Amino acid sequence: MDSIMQTEKKCFICARRKYLEEHHIFGGTANRKKSEKHGLKVWLCYEDHRGNSGVHFNRVVDLALKAAGQKKFEETHTREEFRKEFGKSWL
Ligand SMILES: [Zn+2]
Ligand SMILES: [Zn+2]
């Protein structure tokens, strides 16, 4: 499914449009599939994705993206549904 987080293809963090990579907000084998199913993914530039301070190496950014993803999911689902699907709440 397409991202429900963004309508435009640009870095979710810095809005750059170069070197974009797709990031699934909830990782791990099961949750990555569920992120795909629900469109909980964002475009990130290489730096914000896999750079030294990118989401894969920066817990603060990771948690902020997870909170944003859960909020978006909860626009159309309950918190209980989120918990059931992803195993816990980040909010
Ligand atoms: Zn960026
Ligand atoms: Zn990623």
Side-chain angles (χ1 to χ4, degrees):
M1 172 160 170
D2 286 343
S3 170
I4 63 167
M5 304 296 294
Q6 297 175 285
T7 51
E8 277 186 85
K9 188 172 173 180
K10 59 185 180 184
C11 177
F12 189 74
I13 292 171
C14 74
R16 279 208 305 180
R17 294 172 191 273
K18 278 187 175 175
Y19 311 113
L20 296 175
E21 301 177 349
E22 196 171 57
H23 172 69
H24 289 71
I25 293 177
F26 301 97
T29 308
N31 282 351
R32 191 178 196 281
K33 277 185 195 147
K34 289 171 185 177
S35 294
E36 179 63 35
K37 173 181 161 192
H38 294 289
L40 293 172
K41 52 194 183 177
V42 291
W43 291 107
L44 294 175
C45 68
Y46 179 83
E47 273 307 302
D48 286 319
H49 191 214
R50 297 186 189 279
N52 287 336
S53 59
V55 63
H56 283 284
F57 303 101
N58 185 329
R59 187 169 162 75
V60 173
V61 174
D62 182 42
L63 291 177
L65 279 182
K66 285 182 161 91
Q70 182 173 348
K71 274 184 195 147
K72 192 73 182 172
F73 183 91
E74 290 183 359
E75 288 178 8
T76 51
H77 299 75
T78 65
R79 177 139 318 164
E80 196 47 39
E81 286 172 320
F82 182 86
R83 265 186 221 278
K84 267 191 192 147
E85 191 73 349
F86 291 95
K88 65 176 258 192
S89 171
W90 277 270
L91 295 176

